[in-house]
Amino acid sequence: MKKILAINGGKKVRRKKFPSYNTIGKEEKRAVLKVLNSGVLSQYLGVWGKDFYGGEEVRTLEKEWAAHFHVKHAIAVNSATSGLFAATGAIGIGPGDEVIVSPYTMSASVMPPLIYGAVPVFADIEQEYFCLDPASVEQRITERTKAIIVVDLFGQPYDVERINKIAKKHNLILIEDASQAPGAAYQGKFAGTLGDIGIFSLNYHKHIHTGEGGMVVTDNDELADRVRLIRNHAESIVEAKGVKNLTNMVGFNFRMTEIEAAIARCQLKKLKSLLKSRINDIEYLTKRLETIEGLRPPRVRPGCTHSFYVHPILYDQRVTGVPRDRFIDAVKAELTPTRGRESWGPLISCGYVKPLYLLPLFQKRIAIGANGYPFTAPLYYGNVTYKKGICPVVEQLYEYSLFYHDLAKPPVTKKDLDDIAKAFVKVSRHVKELR
Ligand SMILES: *Cc1c(COP(=O)(O)O)cnc(C)c1O
């Protein structure tokens, strides 16, 4: 019998490539030109004084960002990774401490404790929403635990009600990695502002971007001050500024340029409308995909706005009779790559990231230097484990049941969305061909 699926030699659902992701318009070009014409591409100085806080664009962006997210302080940095380091330093993490982290996130969410000589401890995540599981977090708490780094994964806010309660009860500081969740919210309060200190990313792949960049937000004056110090050579500022607490006042250069800040100001104005169309597009797709047996598009946590950085979907092999990876290969064969990212093929991926504790760094316990620091640090009395099996939910999602696509980004059209849905429907209808 003639086979229908493209993976078996049939005709593809789509021939045209998906459009290249682009949110940059006239406004950004004009703003960048203005900075270029001024000749001052960054106004920072690593000494105490007015220029310690950067130039006009950076300082204006910080005011506008704080106003937009209803938070007291916004601090521009050159990436979310830098922002996470600065936040972790600011809260005073050091050798001997443990920080609870998620194994299902970009690795950048998990590295900052190591840089400060502390030990990341992985808790499992929720099967339903993919954020840190409060029950698992509570199990991992020891007398050494100082903080939790929560992640609003895929744009879904973490379980604020339960995790914040745990943090309060055990006197832990909450760092919120909201890199994937600008504009997401819990009961009307923005992701990024749900813990003690939050971080956004402005890299190319995020909802709004400046090429590379990040923002740190907090209502806490002291933390904000300490982040600004770490951002800009703290060690040579503290004396002149009269800073008494020297903990982690080891500075970096995490400064954002005037060009990036100018772009960020334009992009911030677009966030609301970009987010609205992203949510509409994902809801449209979800309606089409949720009728397919064996697929379960994401649920939004009650009381939350999800920002859908990507569109995660759960897959059930018991229903389809075909392993996830084979099903997805068949869907990808029906579709086309995204312009400019051809080598990746159609942007659908199985599993998201490998559970982070399985990275060589944790398996071999080689992080800072060659001798096992900080796991072997004299000040560290814990016995953390990174064995396979410690977070069964994550391992199950990674190996068998989660996939996501990154195809519903501007300037995606209804026709593009229809093609994505058609590819899934077609493979589902002819799934027998894959068995
Ligand atoms: C993108 C991302 C980061 C890192 O962002 P950069 O700005 O590239 O440093 C950190 N955490 C999460 C969850 C991310 O998605």
Side-chain angles (χ1 to χ4, degrees):
M1 209 177 73
K2 191 162 178 299
K3 303 250 172 110
I4 305 287
L5 293 180
I7 201 171
N8 291 331
K11 199 166 154 254
K12 274 170 159 333
V13 163
R14 181 183 171 100
R15 304 219 79 92
K16 208 177 128 204
K17 286 179 192 167
F18 284 91
S20 174
Y21 178 44
N22 194 349
T23 61
I24 302 296
K26 282 208 263 326
E27 312 73 30
E28 285 83 356
K29 289 173 195 164
R30 215 179 296 127
V32 166
L33 246 158
K34 192 176 148 215
V35 174
L36 283 175
N37 286 333
S38 79
V40 184
L41 309 194
S42 174
Q43 204 178 312
Y44 275 106
L45 267 181
V47 295
W48 180 231
K50 181 170 158 283
D51 290 345
F52 170 72
Y53 293 108
E56 177 85 23
E57 293 290 341
V58 164
R59 280 180 286 122
T60 311
L61 166 65
E62 291 179 339
K63 280 195 201 104
E64 290 171 353
W65 195 280
H68 181 101
F69 288 94
H70 310 297
V71 65
K72 196 161 171 197
H73 304 276
I75 304 139
V77 284
N78 58 2
S79 73
T81 304
S82 306
L84 283 155
F85 284 151
T88 304
I91 67 172
I93 294 298
D97 295 342
E98 290 178 345
V99 177
I100 296 177
V101 296
S102 168
Y104 215 43
T105 174
M106 192 188 168
S107 64
S109 322
V110 168
M111 295 301 108
L114 293 172
I115 295 300
Y116 286 97
V119 170
V121 173
F122 292 94
D124 210 346
I125 63 167
E126 308 158 294
Q127 173 73 43
E128 190 78 27
Y129 304 118
F130 320 130
C131 297
L132 274 178
D133 173 9
S136 180
V137 166
E138 196 144 34
Q139 271 175 6
R140 303 299 204 258
I141 293 173
T142 69
E143 67 212 24
R144 292 169 294 279
T145 312
K146 290 284 156 53
I148 309 172
I149 301 177
V150 286
V151 183
D152 302 313
L153 197 73
F154 303 140
Q156 173 103 265
Y158 70 96
D159 186 339
V160 178
E161 203 177 312
R162 293 171 66 201
I163 301 251
N164 285 28
K165 203 177 281 169
I166 292 168
K168 195 162 180 198
K169 180 172 150 201
H170 297 273
N171 205 13
L172 308 177
I173 297 169
L174 265 179
I175 297 177
E176 182 186 11
D177 181 351
S179 294
Q180 303 184 354
Y186 169 77
Q187 292 183 353
K189 196 168 165 21
F190 281 119
T193 70
L194 301 169
D196 294 295
I197 186 163
I199 294 94
F200 296 96
S201 170
L202 292 169
N203 86 22
Y204 166 64
H205 301 282
K206 303 306 196 304
H207 293 70
I208 57 172
H209 81 97
T210 58
E212 306 286 353
M215 296 298 291
V216 179
V217 293
T218 181
D219 282 325
N220 182 312
D221 297 343
E222 194 197 342
L223 284 183
D225 246 5
R226 286 169 56 78
V227 167
R228 292 187 186 106
L229 282 158
I230 292 170
R231 166 177 76 177
N232 189 10
H233 307 290
E235 67 285 352
S236 28
I237 312 296
V238 285
E239 200 164 28
K241 191 173 186 293
V243 174
K244 295 286 176 299
N245 177 3
L246 292 183
T247 307
N248 294 341
M249 286 296 104
V250 179
F252 293 86
N253 174 352
F254 288 158
R255 307 176 316 203
M256 180 186 268
T257 69
E258 288 289 282
I259 292 182
E260 290 157 339
I263 298 172
R265 292 180 58 202
C266 300
Q267 289 270 291
L268 179 61
K269 292 196 181 82
K270 299 179 179 179
L271 176 59
K272 224 169 154 182
S273 70
L274 285 170
L275 191 62
K276 194 163 167 229
S277 53
R278 174 95 53 120
I279 291 171
N280 285 342
D281 290 345
I282 297 293
E283 281 174 356
Y284 179 81
L285 261 181
T286 290
K287 280 209 183 76
R288 305 278 305 269
L289 300 185
E290 72 193 355
T291 61
I292 298 174
E293 289 195 346
L295 297 195
R296 220 212 63 198
R299 302 221 167 113
V300 179
R301 193 191 302 280
C304 287
T305 306
H306 197 309
S307 63
F308 295 111
Y309 171 59
V310 295
H311 189 195
I313 297 167
L314 288 176
Y315 180 88
D316 192 342
Q317 174 176 349
R318 290 164 309 182
V319 176
T320 61
V322 174
R324 172 194 66 188
D325 295 23
R326 174 129 178 86
F327 188 97
I328 295 304
D329 280 345
V331 174
K332 287 170 81 166
E334 302 294 338
L335 294 171
T336 47
T338 292
R339 208 170 284 286
R341 295 182 72 192
E342 283 81 358
S343 67
W344 291 89
L347 297 179
I348 310 179
S349 308
C350 290
Y352 191 51
V353 297
K354 184 166 167 173
L356 292 173
Y357 51 84
L358 298 178
L359 291 178
L361 185 161
F362 294 108
Q363 290 302 302
K364 305 222 182 296
R365 299 189 183 223
I366 304 290
I368 308 299
N371 303 319
Y373 184 87
F375 311 105
T376 54
L379 285 171
Y380 182 59
Y381 297 109
N383 50 356
V384 64
T385 166
Y386 299 122
K387 277 207 212 72
K388 193 164 170 14
I390 57 172
C391 298
V393 175
V394 167
E395 292 183 17
Q396 211 276 338
L397 291 169
Y398 170 66
E399 284 170 30
Y400 304 108
S401 61
L402 187 129
F403 71 87
Y404 72 89
H405 72 84
D406 198 12
L407 292 165
K409 277 180 161 178
V412 75
T413 63
K414 274 277 181 303
K415 165 81 173 72
D416 298 328
L417 297 173
D418 285 337
D419 285 346
I420 299 166
K422 268 187 214 158
F424 279 97
V425 169
K426 181 180 168 191
V427 171
S428 164
R429 227 170 248 162
H430 300 280
V431 73
K432 280 203 189 92
E433 278 189 25
L434 303 174
R435 288 190 192 127

